[in-house]
Amino acid sequence: MNTVNGGISFWYAQQGAPAPREPLPGDASADVCIVGGGYTGLWTAYYLKKAVPFLNITVLEAAFCGYGASGRNGGWLYNGIAGRARYAKAHGHEAAQRLQRAMNDTVGEVITVAAEEGIDADVHQGGVLEVAYTPAQLARLRDFHSVELAFGETDRLLLGARETAERVRVAGAVGSSWTPHGARIHPVKLVQGLSAAVERLGVTIHESTPVTEIKPKHAVTPYGTVRAPYVLRCTEGFTPTLKGLKRTWLPMNSSMIVTEPLSPALWDAIGWDGRETLGDMAHAYMYAQRTADDRIAIGGRGVPYRYGSRTDNDGRTQPATVLALRDLLIRFFPRLAGTRIEHAWSGVLGVPRDWCATVSLDRSTGLGWAGGYVGSGVATANLAGRTLRDLIQQDSGQAGPTDLTALPWVDHKV
């Protein structure tokens, strides 16, 4: 059987494409219009509607909810956030520590909400294990571990070769760093469950409705314009498709492969009973998970950028990238040399020029945005959604400043 290539992602091949929601039927109005039906837009809608039930909220999605990075990522729900070192330099170490603590808490927040809303997203909170398998990687690992401790991760562990092998037997691993602030998820199960929860609250979602331009109090589509006091851009790597925003964030590609289900004998050889999400300290880093049905899904950069900020649509991945990821899998687990690669896919993520994730609301125009996650968006999008909620409540006079609105990534300008 040949490897399936593209078709959005393995997660959608496994879960099935969603039933399409109706597109925007014409001009409309709302209290809040959210552009983008991924994690950021859906979490924002969820928390806003929970906080202010009478709000009329409309979500506009170009394809269907979770079509972009939210339905193609590696399923790492973890506490990493892009730009922390820069925020520490600009706002002070204590401010960056507060941001890190908020990210640590966000992992548990997503897990709690998923349980409350009955979303079965194959969640397993095994933490994050970053391994080193060369002397250079070990030096970087020790530096990385020290920095994380300095930002307040007192529950992080530095493990030697033997302790690492007791968790997962990566060939040649000489050490690792583990944090409990991470979980494996099925990305599509989470995004589909979240979109259903948002609709149950009374939020309107229009799919197959591409927004071509965002301007104050207007979201323009081929089917009509939605007018709202607040228009929120939650488009991440697809931001360059909007008029006037082509160079705002670079759309970077990331690619993944997934194996066939592995036999119990292979799992006995590999270990990985804790189902930690797995990364390394290589410059061209990787990320992997043990799925709920006992496959290994592993990803990396592949061909990172397409000329002219073009965005990939169908998830098709270059054969050379598939081979490189397979080689990396076998480098980690040599016993898998004969294992079939069942599916390969790619997606885009948003990269600001300074590699800093941001969340903002321009109080003079009502335009807000969040993103630039640089690959760490599964959890960060939740923090962004709660922060946009607080910014809008503050701006509309319904609430004052909060701990979230005071975080250093708020209103950051590149």
Side-chain angles (χ1 to χ4, degrees), residues 186-209:
H186 188 299
V188 166
K189 289 182 179 181
L190 177 60
V191 76
Q192 290 185 341
L194 182 57
S195 64
V198 164
E199 282 191 312
R200 286 196 300 272
L201 290 173
V203 172
T204 300
I205 301 176
H206 291 298
E207 296 181 330
S208 302
T209 305

Side-chain angles (χ1 to χ4, degrees), residues 46 63 70 94 119 140 199 212 249 276 296 347 355-356 380:
Y46 178 84
S70 300
E94 192 276 332
I119 301 171
R140 288 196 290 272
E199 282 191 312
T212 55
W249 290 332
E276 303 90 342
I296 295 177
W355 286 62
C356 288
T380 314

Side-chain angles (χ1 to χ4, degrees), residues 215-346:
K215 50 189 179 180
K217 298 180 172 55
H218 295 76
V220 182
T221 85
Y223 306 118
T225 297
V226 177
R227 291 169 174 82
Y230 298 101
V231 180
L232 308 179
R233 168 168 53 83
C234 303
T235 49
E236 186 59 352
F238 290 89
T239 300
T241 63
L242 293 163
K243 183 179 179 180
L245 297 175
K246 188 169 184 178
R247 294 289 180 259
T248 300
W249 290 332
L250 180 147
M252 182 176 284
N253 290 275
S254 195
S255 301
M256 294 198 71
I257 60 173
V258 67
T259 69
E260 63 185 324
L262 305 185
S263 68
L266 284 173
W267 282 119
D268 285 343
I270 293 170
W272 211 348
D273 296 332
R275 298 179 185 262
E276 303 90 342
T277 54
L278 180 65
D280 71 359
M281 287 288 130
H283 288 305
Y285 63 89
M286 54 73 71
Y287 47 95
Q289 66 151 285
R290 178 177 175 177
T291 68
D293 59 348
D294 285 336
R295 307 167 188 266
I296 295 177
I298 182 170
R301 276 291 174 257
V303 178
Y305 178 72
R306 298 178 190 272
Y307 181 76
S309 292
R310 290 198 301 270
T311 52
D312 169 83
N313 289 320
D314 69 356
R316 188 162 182 83
T317 302
Q318 293 188 344
T321 299
V322 178
L323 290 174
L325 289 173
R326 185 180 184 279
D327 288 345
L328 184 59
L329 174 72
I330 296 168
R331 160 61 194 85
F332 267 62
F333 306 113
R335 290 281 298 271
L336 301 186
T339 299
R340 181 169 56 84
I341 304 303
E342 193 162 291
H343 204 123
W345 70 98
S346 296

